[in-house]
Amino acid sequence: MARQNKPIRSDIAWSTRDRIEVRGKDLPNDILGHMNLGDLAYLQLTGQAPTEQQSKVFNAIVITLVEHGITPSALAARITYAGAPESLQAAVAAGLCGLGTVFVGSMEGASKMLYEALPDAQADVDLDALADQVVAGFRGRKQIIPGLGHPLHKPVDPRTPRLFQIAEENGLSGRYVDLMQRIAAKAEAASGKQLPINATGAIGAICCEFGFPWKIVRGFGVMARAIGLVGHILEESENPMGVEIWQRVEDEATAHIRPE
Amino acid sequence: MARQNKPIRSDIAWSTRDRIEVRGKDLPNDILGHMNLGDLAYLQLTGQAPTEQQSKVFNAIVITLVEHGITPSALAARITYAGAPESLQAAVAAGLCGLGTVFVGSMEGASKMLYEALPDAQADVDLDALADQVVAGFRGRKQIIPGLGHPLHKPVDPRTPRLFQIAEENGLSGRYVDLMQRIAAKAEAASGKQLPINATGAIGAICCEFGFPWKIVRGFGVMARAIGLVGHILEESENPMGVEIWQRVEDEATAHIRPE
Amino acid sequence: MARQNKPIRSDIAWSTRDRIEVRGKDLPNDILGHMNLGDLAYLQLTGQAPTEQQSKVFNAIVITLVEHGITPSALAARITYAGAPESLQAAVAAGLCGLGTVFVGSMEGASKMLYEALPDAQADVDLDALADQVVAGFRGRKQIIPGLGHPLHKPVDPRTPRLFQIAEENGLSGRYVDLMQRIAAKAEAASGKQLPINATGAIGAICCEFGFPWKIVRGFGVMARAIGLVGHILEESENPMGVEIWQRVEDEATAHIRPE
Amino acid sequence: MARQNKPIRSDIAWSTRDRIEVRGKDLPNDILGHMNLGDLAYLQLTGQAPTEQQSKVFNAIVITLVEHGITPSALAARITYAGAPESLQAAVAAGLCGLGTVFVGSMEGASKMLYEALPDAQADVDLDALADQVVAGFRGRKQIIPGLGHPLHKPVDPRTPRLFQIAEENGLSGRYVDLMQRIAAKAEAASGKQLPINATGAIGAICCEFGFPWKIVRGFGVMARAIGLVGHILEESENPMGVEIWQRVEDEATAHIRPE
């Protein structure tokens, strides 16, 4: 008994001999020259061109995630490029592979937490009581609350108030941002520690205001970082550090067992 | 005799407790809310914010590379996501790994060809004679001229005239674009075949107008495609094709040796 | 206040001008010509050369995971190779990226389940009662029991009895294999469905007999599959399917929106 | 006019409800318990089980490539694992991405050089004169001869004589190994520098004795390194260095622009 084929279908883009459409728009005539890269990313993901306000906030979110200095992801890309400079794409890929639960996961974690606490943004619930519940739940399970705290940026992550300001000015600061802020305040009070909302927490909350599914939120970090990594690889090609790091680490790591 | 450490240095970004700078600009205050993603990419790569004209052209270039339907790269990302949906970043990485010489390489190939033919854009040379030389060289070595011809888009790749128009309108259509167009005309005449400048050829030429090193040109395709792939993975999570493709291919590929 | 460096150290291998040691053995003289690849993998992972019996079982485990036809991982590698044939390593990398929770995860899931149920293999507990508890726990949480069931191989996965036989003949079939078999029997009885122990379940149980940490069990699948993928890429280079798959899928996926 | 489908076909493996075959052999009954991992890799790649002699040499070749301490590839894998410990497969993938022209390419380069110089191993040519030609050619093009020289292992790479000895003892040291040795001697004489055949040069030559296509030779390094990387990731999970490397590099790299 043979299996039945299921249909295969994509609604993102198509092309014919003389036309290319992306999300229902004519790429050469309606997109090129009319949109910026952040707006096109929004179109690609949602099927809709952003309003001017959505554009402002979405560009700010993604830009925040492009670059943050010498991160593990930048190091992996640079070291990979040192071995395979003919495969720039593989160096970027290597750099992206580590964008998992440790560094970027808190962004999707914050979105997931907020959606689970408040599935319907319009629901008639008391946000203060809800924040108490959320904090108590995480503390009871001895879990870290995603999106709070930063090893370096204390007592405030300088990106957070600016992101919230941009969201506010553009009508995208609603109950999810409010809930996130209450959760942070409750968590600080309960723990007695400085737990500022970090950039990934702010972005996670604003993503809920947009209504993005939490599963795709990590994707914003991934696409932003790809841009950042190309910058690091360009610098690596001009002023390399990959081989030097390798040799220093190799020397040190095996000194205890290596004979003179 | 121990080795001497060499310095390790990066000029892209730094952060302290309360500040984050990218390319000399204050990220929260000078970038967020003021720049779009394409402009930030330009800043990340060049160290300079683009002029309004540079912004128009650079955004158009990168946007052109984001999305072109179900490509091999989109397929690899979708199939990978089917096996590891918890690692969205690895699915994007898998999709990027194939952006090599076959599909994206012609972009850097076109830039390299143009820079080698005309190392100094201001040089007093006859572009028509130069184009003749270039075409003769490639034909003599039986090599394909990068950036010409397209399997589907004939007799014109619809992106090319639009990209050249945007470059022209913004003062970024100079001698490299001119040379590319002459090379295409000569190649068509010499071969008797339709050899339109394709999108990667147009972009390769415009990248020379910007002065980007040819080695980084592939990177524009890589960062743009990362955005496109996040869109494909979002669609895959909602309307999957990965498992269906796998099962169809497996059935067909081994039918000739598999007993009933 | 500057941070204090922490030591960086690795105990796997070192080299000097005239010597190379891996895990305390002289690579040229004690390893090459004396060990097979599976035994060297065991040495690399555990720091000990395997006994003859361990060698038999470990080689069988890893070999089981090398090749299983046209899998999603093989497809991703082949499609990636089509775009970047100069970067064979990136094609293998792309194929590995999808070895996540869906296809390979059940192996580590089975090990984790068995270790959590029976942290001390020698503990004086009744395995039959323990199996009941485990099955009741998974059913209560409506979770799938890892390592049981197979879409194709019914009522028996042909690899499982053979792997258990090899383990038995070599003294590596103890209480974890016993517990796994009881869990399978209880789960079939409770669900009324055929739930054979599949190959990943058998391997997960045998890995517990070895005492491998469950977190590294996925790694056996990853290293085995890397071997399999090189075989697929070699076949792809001689008899390609990547471009054909792409074109078929592209045609079908966008037929509903693409004008004639 | 619709395109015609081309057939999709693979001859590596198939499975039905109760059988699994790999390269024409019954996996459970003819392979498991009977073959070691290196022999299975040989079967996967060539379609033939190795003879005892081929097994000895092939296992030695691949084992040589598994582990060589803290390499750039091991570093990239470890740093990636630090960010995404839930995606072990992505950490291995990241480590493989850099196995390109710089570190592993010399192996395929040596094979290619030898095949191009001596397409037919039985041809009636004078190897000494041929070696002279090859060396003169590389020197004339100012290219490095692949497989010669090593930054650390001087005047002899300790793996090389051992690999040649194993090949010799097993009937796999023929004219390609001879030619490689003559090329090394001529190159040393012509350059006045120590240019020992390194491990990748020895392996490249022995691969020609087997008759492996040069394009797949890099694949031996890739599959071997996947094994090594799993070992490094296991050590990283127990005794990490990734985060420490990141923090040291970040501190140093931006000290010149970062305010106190």
Side-chain angles (χ1 to χ4, degrees):
Chain A
M1 192 186 64
R3 59 182 292 282
Q4 289 288 316
N5 282 355
K6 290 176 203 148
I8 286 175
R9 171 180 170 147
S10 174
D11 294 296
I12 298 178
W14 54 262
S15 49
T16 59
R17 208 175 44 75
D18 59 354
R19 296 191 59 190
I20 300 172
E21 283 211 358
V22 174
R23 292 292 191 187
K25 291 188 184 295
D26 179 305
L27 174 68
N29 297 308
D30 296 341
I31 294 176
L32 299 186
H34 302 290
M35 294 181 83
N36 65 57
L37 183 62
D39 291 358
L40 188 275
Y42 188 95
L43 173 67
Q44 166 81 356
L45 288 162
T46 67
Q48 306 285 334
T51 63
E52 199 175 319
Q53 294 178 312
Q54 289 168 332
S55 168
K56 268 271 193 258
V57 182
F58 185 73
N59 273 284
I61 282 178
V62 182
I63 283 174
T64 302
L65 299 164
V66 167
E67 178 53 42
H68 195 49
I70 298 291
T71 55
S73 144
L75 277 180
R78 285 168 174 266
I79 290 170
T80 300
Y81 185 75
E86 72 287 357
S87 304
L88 185 149
Q89 78 278 9
V92 176
L96 296 184
C97 279
L99 299 181
T101 52
V102 177
F103 298 115
V104 178
S106 57
M107 199 158 59
E108 73 185 39
S111 285
K112 187 164 180 266
M113 170 183 75
L114 295 171
Y115 278 134
E116 285 176 356
L118 189 65
D120 172 6
Q122 312 308 327
D124 181 22
V125 286
D126 179 68
L127 293 185
D128 216 59
L130 195 56
D132 271 328
Q133 273 176 42
V134 169
V135 172
F138 276 86
R139 289 178 65 84
R141 295 186 303 271
K142 294 186 191 301
Q143 290 177 326
I144 288 171
I145 299 179
L148 299 189
H150 197 281
L152 175 61
H153 299 306
K154 295 175 191 168
V156 170
D157 183 326
R159 298 163 290 189
T160 298
R162 179 65 178 139
L163 285 166
F164 282 154
Q165 179 193 12
I166 295 168
E168 173 74 37
E169 290 171 0
N170 289 282
L172 278 155
S173 181
R175 296 185 89 206
Y176 290 112
V177 170
D178 189 352
L179 178 58
M180 190 75 204
Q181 289 172 322
R182 288 171 199 262
I183 289 171
K186 306 280 186 187
E188 288 209 331
S191 72
K193 282 189 278 187
Q194 287 184 345
L195 287 174
I197 301 176
N198 59 40
T200 61
I203 291 173
I206 297 171
C207 284
C208 292
E209 301 289 347
F210 274 105
F212 292 124
W214 68 263
K215 282 203 173 180
I216 206 64
V217 167
R218 185 186 299 195
F220 302 154
V222 173
M223 68 195 207
R225 188 57 57 88
I227 295 173
L229 290 174
V230 175
H232 279 274
I233 291 168
L234 178 55
E235 191 184 61
E236 180 74 19
S237 76
E238 293 165 349
N239 184 19
M241 65 173 71
V243 169
E244 175 69 17
I245 293 168
W246 158 42
Q247 291 180 345
R248 287 193 199 176
V249 173
E250 187 181 28
D251 265 17
E252 177 175 342
T254 61
H256 67 292
I257 43 171
R258 200 177 60 230
E260 286 308 295
Chain B
M1 190 187 65
R3 59 183 293 282
Q4 290 288 314
N5 282 355
K6 291 176 203 147
I8 286 175
R9 171 181 170 147
S10 174
D11 295 295
I12 298 179
W14 55 261
S15 49
T16 59
R17 208 174 45 75
D18 58 354
R19 294 191 58 188
I20 300 171
E21 282 210 358
V22 175
R23 292 293 192 188
K25 291 188 184 293
D26 180 304
L27 173 67
N29 297 307
D30 296 342
I31 294 177
L32 298 185
H34 302 290
M35 294 182 82
N36 66 56
L37 184 62
D39 291 358
L40 188 274
Y42 188 95
L43 174 67
Q44 167 81 354
L45 288 162
T46 67
Q48 306 285 334
T51 64
E52 199 175 320
Q53 293 179 313
Q54 289 168 332
S55 167
K56 267 272 193 257
V57 181
F58 185 73
N59 272 285
I61 282 178
V62 182
I63 283 176
T64 301
L65 300 164
V66 168
E67 178 54 40
H68 196 49
I70 299 291
T71 54
S73 147
L75 277 181
R78 284 168 174 264
I79 290 170
T80 301
Y81 185 76
E86 73 285 357
S87 305
L88 185 150
Q89 78 278 8
V92 176
L96 296 183
C97 279
L99 299 181
T101 52
V102 177
F103 298 114
V104 179
S106 56
M107 200 157 59
E108 74 186 39
S111 285
K112 188 164 180 264
M113 171 183 75
L114 295 171
Y115 278 135
E116 285 176 356
L118 188 64
D120 172 6
Q122 313 307 327
D124 181 21
V125 286
D126 179 68
L127 293 186
D128 215 59
L130 195 56
D132 271 328
Q133 273 176 41
V134 169
V135 171
F138 275 86
R139 289 178 63 84
R141 296 187 302 273
K142 294 185 192 303
Q143 290 177 325
I144 288 171
I145 299 178
L148 300 188
H150 197 281
L152 174 63
H153 299 306
K154 295 176 190 167
V156 171
D157 183 327
R159 298 164 291 189
T160 299
R162 178 66 178 139
L163 285 166
F164 282 155
Q165 178 194 11
I166 295 169
E168 173 73 36
E169 290 171 1
N170 289 283
L172 278 156
S173 181
R175 295 184 89 207
Y176 289 112
V177 170
D178 189 353
L179 179 57
M180 189 76 203
Q181 289 172 322
R182 288 172 200 264
I183 289 171
K186 305 280 186 190
E188 288 209 333
S191 71
K193 282 190 278 186
Q194 287 184 345
L195 287 175
I197 301 176
N198 58 39
T200 62
I203 292 173
I206 297 171
C207 284
C208 292
E209 301 289 347
F210 274 103
F212 292 124
W214 68 262
K215 283 202 173 184
I216 205 63
V217 167
R218 186 187 298 196
F220 302 153
V222 173
M223 69 195 206
R225 187 57 56 91
I227 295 172
L229 290 174
V230 175
H232 279 275
I233 290 168
L234 179 55
E235 191 184 59
E236 180 74 18
S237 76
E238 294 165 347
N239 184 19
M241 66 173 70
V243 169
E244 174 69 17
I245 293 168
W246 159 41
Q247 291 181 345
R248 286 192 200 175
V249 173
E250 188 182 29
D251 265 16
E252 178 175 341
T254 61
H256 67 293
I257 43 171
R258 200 177 61 230
E260 286 306 298
Chain C
M1 189 187 65
R3 59 183 293 282
Q4 289 289 313
N5 282 354
K6 291 176 202 148
I8 285 175
R9 171 180 171 147
S10 173
D11 294 296
I12 297 178
W14 54 262
S15 50
T16 59
R17 207 177 44 76
D18 59 354
R19 295 191 59 189
I20 300 170
E21 283 210 358
V22 175
R23 291 293 192 188
K25 291 188 185 294
D26 180 303
L27 173 67
N29 298 306
D30 296 342
I31 293 176
L32 298 186
H34 301 292
M35 294 180 84
N36 65 57
L37 184 61
D39 291 358
L40 188 275
Y42 188 95
L43 174 67
Q44 168 80 354
L45 287 163
T46 67
Q48 305 286 333
T51 64
E52 198 175 320
Q53 293 179 313
Q54 289 168 331
S55 167
K56 267 272 194 261
V57 181
F58 185 73
N59 273 285
I61 281 177
V62 182
I63 284 175
T64 301
L65 299 164
V66 167
E67 177 53 41
H68 196 47
I70 298 291
T71 54
S73 146
L75 277 181
R78 286 169 173 263
I79 290 170
T80 300
Y81 185 75
E86 73 285 357
S87 303
L88 185 149
Q89 77 278 9
V92 176
L96 296 183
C97 279
L99 299 180
T101 52
V102 177
F103 298 115
V104 179
S106 56
M107 200 157 60
E108 74 186 39
S111 285
K112 187 164 180 261
M113 170 182 75
L114 295 171
Y115 278 134
E116 285 176 355
L118 188 65
D120 172 6
Q122 312 307 326
D124 181 20
V125 286
D126 179 67
L127 293 186
D128 215 60
L130 195 56
D132 271 327
Q133 273 176 40
V134 169
V135 171
F138 276 86
R139 289 178 63 85
R141 296 186 303 272
K142 294 186 193 299
Q143 291 177 324
I144 288 171
I145 299 178
L148 300 188
H150 197 281
L152 175 63
H153 300 307
K154 295 177 191 167
V156 171
D157 183 327
R159 298 163 292 189
T160 299
R162 180 63 178 141
L163 286 166
F164 282 156
Q165 179 194 13
I166 294 169
E168 173 74 36
E169 290 170 2
N170 289 284
L172 278 156
S173 179
R175 294 185 90 206
Y176 290 110
V177 170
D178 189 353
L179 178 58
M180 189 75 203
Q181 289 172 322
R182 287 172 201 263
I183 288 171
K186 304 279 185 189
E188 289 210 330
S191 71
K193 283 190 275 185
Q194 287 184 346
L195 288 174
I197 301 176
N198 59 38
T200 61
I203 291 172
I206 297 171
C207 283
C208 292
E209 302 289 346
F210 273 104
F212 291 125
W214 68 262
K215 282 202 174 181
I216 205 65
V217 167
R218 186 186 298 196
F220 302 154
V222 173
M223 68 195 207
R225 188 56 57 89
I227 296 172
L229 291 174
V230 175
H232 279 274
I233 291 168
L234 179 55
E235 191 184 60
E236 181 74 18
S237 76
E238 294 165 349
N239 183 20
M241 65 172 72
V243 169
E244 174 69 17
I245 293 168
W246 159 41
Q247 291 181 344
R248 287 192 199 175
V249 174
E250 188 182 28
D251 265 16
E252 178 176 341
T254 60
H256 67 294
I257 42 172
R258 202 176 60 231
E260 285 307 298
Chain D
M1 190 186 67
R3 60 182 291 282
Q4 288 290 314
N5 282 354
K6 289 177 204 148
I8 286 175
R9 171 180 171 147
S10 173
D11 294 296
I12 298 178
W14 54 262
S15 50
T16 59
R17 208 173 46 77
D18 58 354
R19 295 191 59 189
I20 300 171
E21 283 210 358
V22 174
R23 291 294 191 188
K25 291 187 184 295
D26 179 304
L27 173 67
N29 297 307
D30 295 342
I31 294 176
L32 298 185
H34 301 291
M35 295 180 82
N36 66 56
L37 184 62
D39 292 358
L40 188 275
Y42 187 95
L43 174 67
Q44 167 80 354
L45 288 162
T46 67
Q48 305 286 333
T51 64
E52 200 175 320
Q53 294 178 313
Q54 290 168 331
S55 167
K56 267 273 195 259
V57 181
F58 185 74
N59 273 285
I61 282 177
V62 182
I63 283 175
T64 302
L65 300 164
V66 167
E67 178 53 42
H68 196 48
I70 299 291
T71 54
S73 146
L75 277 181
R78 284 168 175 266
I79 290 169
T80 300
Y81 185 75
E86 73 286 357
S87 304
L88 185 148
Q89 77 279 8
V92 176
L96 296 183
C97 279
L99 299 180
T101 52
V102 177
F103 298 114
V104 179
S106 57
M107 200 157 58
E108 73 186 38
S111 285
K112 187 163 180 266
M113 169 183 76
L114 295 170
Y115 278 134
E116 285 176 355
L118 189 64
D120 172 6
Q122 312 307 327
D124 181 21
V125 285
D126 179 69
L127 293 186
D128 216 59
L130 194 56
D132 271 328
Q133 273 176 38
V134 169
V135 172
F138 276 85
R139 289 177 65 83
R141 296 186 302 273
K142 293 186 193 301
Q143 290 177 326
I144 288 172
I145 300 178
L148 299 189
H150 196 281
L152 175 63
H153 299 306
K154 295 175 191 168
V156 170
D157 183 326
R159 298 164 292 189
T160 299
R162 179 64 179 141
L163 285 166
F164 282 154
Q165 178 194 12
I166 295 169
E168 172 74 37
E169 290 171 1
N170 289 284
L172 278 155
S173 180
R175 297 184 88 207
Y176 290 110
V177 169
D178 189 352
L179 178 58
M180 189 75 204
Q181 289 172 323
R182 288 172 199 263
I183 289 171
K186 305 280 186 189
E188 288 210 330
S191 71
K193 283 190 277 186
Q194 287 184 347
L195 287 174
I197 302 177
N198 58 40
T200 61
I203 291 173
I206 297 171
C207 283
C208 293
E209 301 288 348
F210 274 104
F212 291 124
W214 68 262
K215 282 203 172 180
I216 206 64
V217 167
R218 185 188 298 195
F220 303 154
V222 173
M223 68 195 207
R225 188 56 57 90
I227 295 173
L229 290 174
V230 175
H232 279 274
I233 290 168
L234 178 56
E235 191 184 59
E236 180 73 17
S237 75
E238 293 165 350
N239 184 20
M241 64 173 71
V243 169
E244 175 69 16
I245 293 168
W246 159 40
Q247 292 181 345
R248 287 193 198 175
V249 174
E250 187 182 28
D251 265 16
E252 178 175 342
T254 61
H256 67 292
I257 43 171
R258 200 177 60 228
E260 284 309 296

